[in-house]
Amino acid sequence: MSVTVRVPAKVNVQLAVGGRREDGFHGLANVFLAVGLYDHVTAEPADALRLAVSGSGADQVPLDERNLAARAARLLAQRYGREPRVALRIEKDIPVAGGMAGGSADAAGALLACDTLWGTGASRDELLEICAELGSDVPFSLVGEAALGRGRGELLTPLEVNGAFRWVFALADGGLSTPEVYGECDRLRAASGTGATVAERPEPDASPELLAALRAGDAKALAATVGNDLQDAALSLRPALAETLAVGRAAGASAGLVSGSGPTCAFLTESDETAEAVAEALRASGSCRDARVARGPVPGATLLP
Ligand code: C5P
């Protein structure tokens, strides 16, 4: 018997980052959108916890204690007083360390796959609690669609979206470390005198115009309101991304921004034709490893029949 779960990537259409908290995390107003690039996680009975990763960037995925999917299996097993005797197979299509929650997707996928395989019968709330323990973006990977994440991103409110938005993702060579990008954001804020700590900065908030654009399914209005407070930090660590953003915008994207902590760049387009043209221009420019077209919102972690 084996169980396979399909899990989507995410893009942050708005990532408003507050000051650094006492616990080192940053308070967020994080507007998540799940998009149609997927990892697949398969769980099968085994004599002990085993892990195999294939697909693009698989060689950059840690296979030790740091692996979030393995941690998800262990945490669920621990809660239900059993041994994590499972073989997890992860097939990657979401860029590794790319700012699209690939590791979080694998964790949410492994959790749902093990829960199904073991018949633990955990409630949705229990699964979400385990997700939040695994990482700030993991709860969203489980629920998908569109949501506002408060706290460090784990406290989710579903958002209404009408229709679908067409995106192009410019995949970079090599990843960026999320803690390093947050650290660079703090450094830039401190250096510019705007303050980096929670005491020095206002509470981040979602843009009402952006939420209205999502509700209306209005790509033009969404393009005018997208924003990512981590973008300057990602560009500071990876200056070449400025060229990638320029290429996508010049090719007709209505908006271009760094996805999450990067280095993937996300481009919003208003038609399938424009999306294909932007992807083609990005590939031809040599300013990225590859370009992929995807739509969002899409459902979160889903059991495949
Ligand atoms: O929650 P997660 O394990 O994904 O976070 C990885 C790192 O990203 C944290 O250790 C922290 O440095 C940074 N982070 C943050 N504020 C958040 C989310 C993540 O500073 N809201």
Side-chain angles (χ1 to χ4, degrees), residues 17 20-21 24-28 68 71 104 132 134-138 151-153 178-180 182-183 186:
V17 179
R20 190 182 58 250
R21 309 189 311 204
F25 285 91
H26 296 71
L28 304 180
L68 269 188
R71 283 175 52 198
S104 301
L134 290 163
S136 308
D137 288 350
V138 183
R152 57 187 168 86
T178 303
E180 273 175 39
Y182 274 101
D186 291 345

Side-chain angles (χ1 to χ4, degrees), residues 1-304:
M1 190 231 181
S2 80
V3 175
T4 298
V5 174
R6 186 181 80 169
V7 206
K10 60 84 180 162
V11 61
N12 310 88
V13 288
Q14 187 190 358
L15 184 45
V17 179
R20 190 182 58 250
R21 309 189 311 204
E22 295 282 333
D23 64 2
F25 285 91
H26 296 71
L28 304 180
N30 191 349
V31 182
F32 292 104
L33 189 72
V35 294
L37 287 182
Y38 299 98
D39 280 0
H40 287 80
V41 183
T42 298
E44 266 172 349
D47 56 343
L49 181 55
R50 316 237 168 247
L51 180 63
V53 185
S54 61
S56 81
D59 54 331
Q60 294 153 55
V61 176
L63 296 174
D64 55 17
E65 317 62 59
R66 288 169 300 167
N67 187 280
L68 269 188
R71 283 175 52 198
R74 268 198 213 95
L75 207 49
L76 184 71
Q78 200 184 325
R79 288 234 180 172
Y80 284 85
R82 56 183 302 149
E83 291 299 316
R85 294 199 183 101
V86 64
L88 294 173
R89 254 192 353 255
I90 301 174
E91 204 180 308
K92 302 259 355 137
D93 196 29
I94 305 173
V96 177
M100 297 191 76
S104 301
D106 300 346
L111 192 62
L112 183 58
C114 289
D115 177 60
T116 307
L117 186 70
W118 296 337
T120 44
S123 69
R124 195 74 172 164
D125 281 352
E126 275 174 277
L127 290 180
L128 284 171
E129 201 187 296
I130 298 173
C131 285
E133 207 172 317
L134 290 163
S136 308
D137 288 350
V138 183
F140 180 73
S141 294
L142 188 71
V143 302
E145 304 290 354
L148 171 61
R150 305 303 311 248
R152 57 187 168 86
E154 86 284 23
L155 307 172
L156 298 176
T157 310
L159 293 174
E160 187 193 338
V161 177
N162 263 297
F165 296 97
R166 298 167 185 85
W167 294 88
V168 180
F169 296 98
L171 314 185
D173 270 320
L176 275 175
S177 143
T178 303
E180 273 175 39
V181 175
Y182 274 101
E184 181 66 4
C185 175
D186 291 345
R187 195 189 67 77
L188 292 173
R189 285 174 168 180
S192 67
T194 52
T197 65
V198 73
E200 296 166 301
R201 300 196 70 92
E203 181 91 350
D205 239 329
S207 148
E209 293 81 13
L210 178 125
L211 299 181
L214 285 176
R215 255 193 319 272
D218 184 338
K220 208 186 284 279
L222 185 62
T225 50
V226 292
N228 178 1
D229 285 355
L230 290 181
Q231 180 157 313
D232 286 350
L235 285 169
S236 166
L237 295 172
R238 194 69 75 82
L241 294 180
E243 168 70 10
T244 314
L245 289 173
V247 169
R249 289 173 184 144
S254 314
L257 74 167
V258 170
S259 178
S261 54
T264 305
C265 291
F267 300 93
L268 185 57
T269 63
E270 287 175 41
S271 71
D272 291 333
E273 294 71 38
T274 310
E276 290 301 337
V278 169
E280 209 35 65
L282 284 164
R283 284 184 206 113
S285 74
S287 70
C288 57
R289 168 168 67 81
D290 193 11
R292 300 283 297 276
V293 172
R295 286 182 174 223
V298 297
T302 304
L303 276 171
L304 295 187

